[in-house]
Amino acid sequence: MTDRLTAREIVALVADDATFAELPDPVREPTGSAGSAPDGPLGWPGYDAARARAAERTGERESVVCGTALVEGARAVLIAFEFGFLGGSLGERTGDRLVSAYAHARAHRLPVVPLVATGGSRMQEGMLALTQLQRVARESVLTREAGLPQIAVVRDPTTGGGWATLGAGADVVLALPGAQVGFAGSRVRPADADPAAYTAEAQAAAGAVDAVVPPEELRGTLGRWLRLLTRPSTTPAAPPKPLGTGAGTGTGASTGTGPAPGPAGLPATGWDAVLRARSPERPRAGAYLDAYFTHRVAIDGDRCGGTDPQGMLCGFGDHEGRAVAYAAQTGTATRPAGYRTAARLIRLADRLGIPVLTLVDTPGAANDAEAERQGAGAAIADLFAAVAAARTPVTTLVVGEGGSGGALALAAPGNTWATPDSYFSVIAPELAAAILKRPPHEVESTADQLRVRPQDLVDLGVVRGVVGGPDRTRGDG
């Protein structure tokens, strides 16, 4: 369990000095309010006294403190929960404050940062408390539709409806180490439940939390996220410069020969292109992202219980003073969670008006039995749909293997480029030869027939050009 900071302490931790300005307490209509009758709307015995004790103990009038502040120079609306006030529970007055905070954010075009620590809805107000979740969900949707980001920080504990709305419903979810995070609180979950499953670290492993951030790094991390997510642009991202040498090493399938460079460093044959793309010396996604971005922050997880950190890297970065989102395959077979995470990234960038860069590099989608059980086809279909529907410009660079539909799903129609060390194919040459019942020694000639070289892809109109190549661009710009 992490140290439980009060609402004011967490605000002081993330806000620049002397910049927090609390929003005025909204005025509630007297009818049906929690304070319109003794002990609230249900007449719950002792409720008024419990509220009075909570106020005296914490110095707060409700379980949330809302205001605006600068976070490393980026202005945002902060919503800080006070767990010491009736367990940070949501009641009608809590809902009023949350609605007012979100409305203020939209009116002033500010991102929203919920700093969540709550045990759920307030029993003493019954269903009127629970329905505050619907109000919060509506405000979140309106804020999303307005193109404003929501970055949640989940603290200890974050459970119940607060996790299921303000926490897990945010665009980006950060968590403090060791925080209890889960829909079921400690007093309502099964007695034999593994407590390790209800932690920030477990939620990160399950794809529901993007990063676990130590308290001393929280302000800096939030500041980077806020700056990157609040800089829209309509200009497409430029494709990265090629990092490969243009003449990697490899082993031929049947002859044992390595790839031969063609004119101006382009592969001479289809099989040469395949070998260069598969070369272990060829730069991968991490090298391209490091060279392209001054700094970057990662999102991780498909919000459906899965991650693919070895197969897909997603996030936002700074490129020459502009924010650019990225989704990059790493050269391995992409898992369903990787496709879903990329689709999530592209839809978020689209809502915020941030251009997207995708890097294609995979022998294909993972096709084992577990991938099928995890919905590989549906995940790939969802990514195809996200790219097709994107209004923000998407730029793609094929940096290695372009293996069939598992690679094409990440490629931007009409704005895909290739490096000299890449190939793109409807199917791997070895598999094509097997399907055609050709002997192994015909794999290389099959690669030629498939026309998979970067220059072939330009001639076919599949890619716009070869970056760093000898003027290999299509005439349509």
Side-chain angles (χ1 to χ4, degrees), residues 153-170:
V153 177
V154 292
R155 301 149 54 206
D156 185 58
T158 297
T159 62
W163 165 236
T165 52
L166 290 149

PDB file of all heavy atoms in Angstrom, residues 153-170:
ATOM      1  N   VAL A 153      -4.967   9.981 -12.543  1.00  0.00           N
ATOM      2  CA  VAL A 153      -3.964   9.423 -11.656  1.00  0.00           C
ATOM      3  C   VAL A 153      -4.716   8.660 -10.573  1.00  0.00           C
ATOM      4  O   VAL A 153      -5.477   9.256  -9.802  1.00  0.00           O
ATOM      5  CB  VAL A 153      -3.089  10.514 -11.019  1.00  0.00           C
ATOM      6  CG1 VAL A 153      -2.099   9.884 -10.030  1.00  0.00           C
ATOM      7  CG2 VAL A 153      -2.359  11.310 -12.085  1.00  0.00           C
ATOM      8  N   VAL A 154      -4.552   7.343 -10.542  1.00  0.00           N
ATOM      9  CA  VAL A 154      -5.270   6.541  -9.556  1.00  0.00           C
ATOM     10  C   VAL A 154      -4.357   6.312  -8.358  1.00  0.00           C
ATOM     11  O   VAL A 154      -3.208   5.899  -8.484  1.00  0.00           O
ATOM     12  CB  VAL A 154      -5.791   5.219 -10.155  1.00  0.00           C
ATOM     13  CG1 VAL A 154      -6.888   5.505 -11.156  1.00  0.00           C
ATOM     14  CG2 VAL A 154      -4.697   4.412 -10.827  1.00  0.00           C
ATOM     15  N   ARG A 155      -4.911   6.623  -7.183  1.00  0.00           N
ATOM     16  CA  ARG A 155      -4.179   6.574  -5.917  1.00  0.00           C
ATOM     17  C   ARG A 155      -4.730   5.431  -5.070  1.00  0.00           C
ATOM     18  O   ARG A 155      -5.547   4.645  -5.530  1.00  0.00           O
ATOM     19  CB  ARG A 155      -4.331   7.924  -5.207  1.00  0.00           C
ATOM     20  CG  ARG A 155      -3.813   9.104  -6.020  1.00  0.00           C
ATOM     21  CD  ARG A 155      -4.590  10.390  -5.738  1.00  0.00           C
ATOM     22  NE  ARG A 155      -4.629  10.693  -4.315  1.00  0.00           N
ATOM     23  CZ  ARG A 155      -5.606  11.412  -3.731  1.00  0.00           C
ATOM     24  NH1 ARG A 155      -6.604  11.901  -4.468  1.00  0.00           N
ATOM     25  NH2 ARG A 155      -5.570  11.647  -2.441  1.00  0.00           N
ATOM     26  N   ASP A 156      -4.292   5.391  -3.830  1.00  0.00           N
ATOM     27  CA  ASP A 156      -4.731   4.312  -2.942  1.00  0.00           C
ATOM     28  C   ASP A 156      -5.831   4.787  -2.000  1.00  0.00           C
ATOM     29  O   ASP A 156      -5.603   5.755  -1.253  1.00  0.00           O
ATOM     30  CB  ASP A 156      -3.541   3.817  -2.115  1.00  0.00           C
ATOM     31  CG  ASP A 156      -3.909   2.624  -1.255  1.00  0.00           C
ATOM     32  OD1 ASP A 156      -4.346   1.614  -1.839  1.00  0.00           O
ATOM     33  OD2 ASP A 156      -3.780   2.726  -0.033  1.00  0.00           O
ATOM     34  N   PRO A 157      -7.003   4.135  -2.026  1.00  0.00           N
ATOM     35  CA  PRO A 157      -7.446   3.126  -2.985  1.00  0.00           C
ATOM     36  C   PRO A 157      -8.289   3.780  -4.077  1.00  0.00           C
ATOM     37  O   PRO A 157      -8.845   4.849  -3.895  1.00  0.00           O
ATOM     38  CB  PRO A 157      -8.302   2.209  -2.117  1.00  0.00           C
ATOM     39  CG  PRO A 157      -8.952   3.170  -1.137  1.00  0.00           C
ATOM     40  CD  PRO A 157      -7.940   4.254  -0.873  1.00  0.00           C
ATOM     41  N   THR A 158      -8.410   3.103  -5.200  1.00  0.00           N
ATOM     42  CA  THR A 158      -9.335   3.524  -6.256  1.00  0.00           C
ATOM     43  C   THR A 158     -10.181   2.314  -6.616  1.00  0.00           C
ATOM     44  O   THR A 158      -9.711   1.399  -7.294  1.00  0.00           O
ATOM     45  CB  THR A 158      -8.587   4.050  -7.486  1.00  0.00           C
ATOM     46  OG1 THR A 158      -7.841   5.217  -7.127  1.00  0.00           O
ATOM     47  CG2 THR A 158      -9.572   4.426  -8.583  1.00  0.00           C
ATOM     48  N   THR A 159     -11.423   2.311  -6.139  1.00  0.00           N
ATOM     49  CA  THR A 159     -12.286   1.150  -6.331  1.00  0.00           C
ATOM     50  C   THR A 159     -13.693   1.599  -6.714  1.00  0.00           C
ATOM     51  O   THR A 159     -14.016   2.787  -6.711  1.00  0.00           O
ATOM     52  CB  THR A 159     -12.354   0.297  -5.051  1.00  0.00           C
ATOM     53  OG1 THR A 159     -12.911   1.080  -3.995  1.00  0.00           O
ATOM     54  CG2 THR A 159     -10.978  -0.188  -4.641  1.00  0.00           C
ATOM     55  N   GLY A 160     -14.525   0.622  -7.047  1.00  0.00           N
ATOM     56  CA  GLY A 160     -15.934   0.884  -7.312  1.00  0.00           C
ATOM     57  C   GLY A 160     -16.156   1.771  -8.523  1.00  0.00           C
ATOM     58  O   GLY A 160     -15.388   1.784  -9.489  1.00  0.00           O
ATOM     59  N   GLY A 161     -17.245   2.542  -8.444  1.00  0.00           N
ATOM     60  CA  GLY A 161     -17.637   3.377  -9.570  1.00  0.00           C
ATOM     61  C   GLY A 161     -16.641   4.466  -9.899  1.00  0.00           C
ATOM     62  O   GLY A 161     -16.557   4.910 -11.044  1.00  0.00           O
ATOM     63  N   GLY A 162     -15.867   4.925  -8.907  1.00  0.00           N
ATOM     64  CA  GLY A 162     -14.850   5.920  -9.197  1.00  0.00           C
ATOM     65  C   GLY A 162     -13.785   5.393 -10.139  1.00  0.00           C
ATOM     66  O   GLY A 162     -13.317   6.102 -11.031  1.00  0.00           O
ATOM     67  N   TRP A 163     -13.392   4.120  -9.945  1.00  0.00           N
ATOM     68  CA  TRP A 163     -12.449   3.495 -10.866  1.00  0.00           C
ATOM     69  C   TRP A 163     -13.103   3.266 -12.226  1.00  0.00           C
ATOM     70  O   TRP A 163     -12.479   3.483 -13.275  1.00  0.00           O
ATOM     71  CB  TRP A 163     -11.964   2.174 -10.277  1.00  0.00           C
ATOM     72  CG  TRP A 163     -11.267   1.241 -11.232  1.00  0.00           C
ATOM     73  CD1 TRP A 163     -11.602  -0.043 -11.500  1.00  0.00           C
ATOM     74  CD2 TRP A 163     -10.094   1.505 -12.023  1.00  0.00           C
ATOM     75  NE1 TRP A 163     -10.734  -0.595 -12.410  1.00  0.00           N
ATOM     76  CE2 TRP A 163      -9.797   0.328 -12.745  1.00  0.00           C
ATOM     77  CE3 TRP A 163      -9.283   2.624 -12.202  1.00  0.00           C
ATOM     78  CZ2 TRP A 163      -8.717   0.238 -13.631  1.00  0.00           C
ATOM     79  CZ3 TRP A 163      -8.197   2.534 -13.081  1.00  0.00           C
ATOM     80  CH2 TRP A 163      -7.925   1.354 -13.778  1.00  0.00           C
ATOM     81  N   ALA A 164     -14.371   2.863 -12.220  1.00  0.00           N
ATOM     82  CA  ALA A 164     -15.052   2.512 -13.469  1.00  0.00           C
ATOM     83  C   ALA A 164     -15.492   3.727 -14.272  1.00  0.00           C
ATOM     84  O   ALA A 164     -16.011   3.563 -15.377  1.00  0.00           O
ATOM     85  CB  ALA A 164     -16.261   1.630 -13.170  1.00  0.00           C
ATOM     86  N   THR A 165     -15.311   4.935 -13.762  1.00  0.00           N
ATOM     87  CA  THR A 165     -15.684   6.132 -14.521  1.00  0.00           C
ATOM     88  C   THR A 165     -14.491   7.082 -14.639  1.00  0.00           C
ATOM     89  O   THR A 165     -13.828   7.139 -15.665  1.00  0.00           O
ATOM     90  CB  THR A 165     -16.876   6.855 -13.875  1.00  0.00           C
ATOM     91  OG1 THR A 165     -16.601   7.079 -12.482  1.00  0.00           O
ATOM     92  CG2 THR A 165     -18.152   6.040 -14.006  1.00  0.00           C
ATOM     93  N   LEU A 166     -14.188   7.789 -13.575  1.00  0.00           N
ATOM     94  CA  LEU A 166     -13.115   8.776 -13.614  1.00  0.00           C
ATOM     95  C   LEU A 166     -11.747   8.151 -13.843  1.00  0.00           C
ATOM     96  O   LEU A 166     -10.873   8.766 -14.462  1.00  0.00           O
ATOM     97  CB  LEU A 166     -13.088   9.558 -12.291  1.00  0.00           C
ATOM     98  CG  LEU A 166     -14.253  10.514 -12.075  1.00  0.00           C
ATOM     99  CD1 LEU A 166     -14.564  10.639 -10.607  1.00  0.00           C
ATOM    100  CD2 LEU A 166     -13.933  11.871 -12.670  1.00  0.00           C
ATOM    101  N   GLY A 167     -11.532   6.937 -13.350  1.00  0.00           N
ATOM    102  CA  GLY A 167     -10.239   6.288 -13.495  1.00  0.00           C
ATOM    103  C   GLY A 167     -10.104   5.593 -14.825  1.00  0.00           C
ATOM    104  O   GLY A 167      -9.466   6.094 -15.753  1.00  0.00           O
ATOM    105  N   ALA A 168     -10.680   4.414 -14.936  1.00  0.00           N
ATOM    106  CA  ALA A 168     -10.538   3.604 -16.143  1.00  0.00           C
ATOM    107  C   ALA A 168     -11.149   4.262 -17.368  1.00  0.00           C
ATOM    108  O   ALA A 168     -10.810   3.896 -18.495  1.00  0.00           O
ATOM    109  CB  ALA A 168     -11.172   2.230 -15.918  1.00  0.00           C
ATOM    110  N   GLY A 169     -12.025   5.230 -17.186  1.00  0.00           N
ATOM    111  CA  GLY A 169     -12.645   5.894 -18.322  1.00  0.00           C
ATOM    112  C   GLY A 169     -11.827   7.021 -18.909  1.00  0.00           C
ATOM    113  O   GLY A 169     -12.225   7.614 -19.912  1.00  0.00           O
ATOM    114  N   ALA A 170     -10.671   7.332 -18.334  1.00  0.00           N
ATOM    115  CA  ALA A 170      -9.834   8.416 -18.836  1.00  0.00           C
ATOM    116  C   ALA A 170      -9.081   7.973 -20.090  1.00  0.00           C
ATOM    117  O   ALA A 170      -8.939   6.784 -20.379  1.00  0.00           O
ATOM    118  CB  ALA A 170      -8.863   8.874 -17.760  1.00  0.00           C
TER     119      ALA A 170
END
